[in-house]
Amino acid sequence: MATKAYELYGIPIAPEDPEQEYMTVQETAYVLKCSVSWLRRLLRTKNELCGRNGRGGRIITNREQRATIHVIRSAGDPRTGRPAPRRRSPRRATAKTSVAP
């Protein structure tokens, strides 16, 4: 069961106008088609890609910052150096062995 905080802040939300100057993290995640948690982790490591609205307020991004985030996301999986994460291969069925009496 999802917590109340996750339902408020962890789900991407469609912005009123996809071309607006400033967006919240949830709206940015919706536009870039990524999860809010991935975007928050990225913004935690790269502080220059976001701003704050007010004293300790909402995290916001502008158009240039969103373009940079898109480039980072399009570069692929930085952990392995691959252009995109690999799909897991399906499990192979194992043959049952008969037990001797």
Side-chain angles (χ1 to χ4, degrees):
M1 177 175 212
T3 63
K4 188 175 182 180
Y6 175 79
E7 290 176 358
L8 287 175
Y9 305 112
I11 300 173
I13 299 170
E16 293 176 10
D17 178 19
E19 297 297 321
Q20 63 191 12
E21 179 67 29
Y22 295 101
M23 290 187 191
T24 63
V25 174
Q26 294 85 6
E27 292 170 339
T28 303
Y30 183 88
V31 169
L32 297 176
K33 296 180 181 160
C34 64
S35 69
V36 175
S37 61
W38 179 87
L39 185 58
R40 286 185 187 275
R41 282 194 306 271
L42 177 72
L43 296 177
R44 190 177 309 129
T45 60
K46 299 184 183 299
N47 256 350
E48 68 277 3
L49 295 179
C50 69
R52 294 231 179 223
N53 185 7
R55 189 177 138 212
R58 297 183 121 184
I59 299 172
I60 57 173
T61 59
N62 63 22
R63 289 182 184 157
E64 293 82 24
Q65 292 166 337
R66 286 193 300 275
T68 306
I69 294 168
H70 176 71
V71 169
I72 291 170
R73 180 160 166 70
S74 298
D77 191 358
R79 297 170 291 181
T80 59
R82 292 192 174 98
R86 288 191 308 180
R87 298 181 93 188
R88 291 185 178 187
S89 60
R91 288 186 164 195
R92 295 182 184 174
T94 56
K96 292 186 178 183
T97 57
S98 60
V99 178

